[in-house]
Amino acid sequence: MSQKGITINNAEQLVQRKFLTKVYSWMSLALLLSGITAFIVATSPFLINLVFGNKIGFPLLAIGEIVLVWWLSASIRKISTMAASIAFLAYSVINGATLASIFYVFSLDSIIVVFLVSALMFIGMSLYGVFSKSDIMSFGRYFSMAIIGLIVASVINIFLKSSGFNWVISIVTVVIFTGLTAYDTRKMILVSQQADGSDMFQKASIIGALELYLDFINIFLALLRIFGKSRD
């Protein structure tokens, strides 16, 4: 291989690394913002009452989360990188506000332990997505069907109010989203191979971070429902 070919290859690898670094940097920033927001809301009687003390606070935030994710995913090709960044960070703050309730349901020790376990599981599956030689991408449609089934089961259990069924749903959630972590990681690896530093790939890093952020949050909440200790 010529010196020029080696230089071009090194430049491509550098762009790929920058893309993946941005994905995980955005994800880490979003998790940090969510954690800080959740703690601030949980320690403020005014904010707790604003979010959970009435009939419209929490539903309004939940609808806002859905709208933001839908808008960001549907409009990513049209909006600016700045708009995508603001939308993603706004989503992480809103989600943090809704997560504040875990501090009133579960003990702080169990939240910390479950968070660390979730982080280790996430890192492990991300590494699997990076280094595994199995065809993870072929499972994409099955993950999509599994998520739809999970949503349907969760809606049904709203009416059944079965603790046993809720426990099963939580276990299935962990299985699905740990698998999705590997899948989404591999997808980001493939996207990084086409990255060229353009504005479109800047926005793609935000979408990738959103997907991985959702994977982690779902793993964390499901494990918390299974292993979290109630607050005394």
Side-chain angles (χ1 to χ4, degrees):
M1 182 181 292
S2 66
Q3 183 65 37
K4 183 178 179 180
I6 294 174
T7 302
I8 292 174
N9 187 53
N10 289 339
E12 290 175 348
Q13 290 179 353
L14 180 61
V15 172
Q16 292 173 19
R17 287 196 294 269
K18 285 184 176 180
F19 175 81
L20 292 173
T21 298
K22 285 187 177 182
V23 170
Y24 284 96
S25 295
W26 277 117
M27 178 202 165
S28 300
L29 178 58
L31 285 175
L32 180 62
L33 281 176
S34 294
I36 292 173
T37 302
F39 182 77
I40 290 174
V41 172
T43 54
S44 169
F46 171 75
L47 292 176
I48 279 291
N49 184 64
L50 188 66
V51 176
F52 302 104
N54 56 79
K55 295 181 179 180
I56 63 171
F58 184 84
L60 192 62
L61 290 178
I63 292 173
E65 287 183 275
I66 295 172
V67 170
L68 268 176
V69 170
W70 174 82
W71 177 80
L72 184 57
S73 301
S75 307
I76 192 65
R77 293 183 178 275
K78 302 176 183 177
I79 60 177
S80 66
T81 302
M82 179 62 71
S85 303
I86 293 173
F88 177 51
L89 295 180
Y91 173 80
S92 67
V93 169
I94 294 173
N95 194 47
T98 62
L99 289 173
S101 61
I102 66 175
F103 290 101
Y104 283 84
V105 177
F106 302 100
S107 68
L108 182 59
D109 288 347
S110 67
I111 291 174
I112 293 173
V113 170
V114 170
F115 182 87
L116 293 175
V117 171
S118 301
L120 290 174
M121 289 180 64
F122 180 88
I123 293 171
M125 292 309 293
S126 287
L127 291 174
Y128 179 81
V130 171
F131 296 109
S132 175
K133 296 181 179 180
S134 61
D135 187 15
I136 301 174
M137 301 309 296
S138 63
F139 290 93
R141 59 179 178 176
Y142 299 112
F143 284 128
S144 297
M145 291 186 291
I147 290 175
I148 293 173
L150 191 63
I151 293 172
V152 172
S154 299
V155 171
I156 291 174
N157 201 42
I158 291 176
F159 301 98
L160 294 179
K161 298 180 179 179
S162 169
S163 58
F165 194 28
N166 184 63
W167 185 75
V168 172
I169 290 173
S170 297
I171 292 177
V172 173
T173 299
V174 172
V175 173
I176 291 174
F177 282 96
T178 50
L180 268 172
T181 297
Y183 173 84
D184 288 333
T185 300
R186 176 63 63 84
K187 184 166 64 175
M188 286 303 101
I189 294 293
L190 296 176
V191 172
S192 74
Q193 293 172 0
Q194 305 299 320
D196 56 9
S198 66
D199 188 62
M200 188 61 233
F201 280 99
Q202 300 290 333
K203 292 184 287 185
S205 68
I206 296 173
I207 291 295
L210 173 62
E211 292 175 344
L212 291 172
Y213 170 90
L214 290 173
D215 293 339
F216 180 86
I217 290 296
N218 278 284
I219 291 171
F220 169 63
L221 291 178
L223 287 176
L224 197 58
R225 289 193 296 269
I226 298 171
F227 299 109
K229 296 180 180 179
S230 299
R231 184 178 178 182
D232 294 332

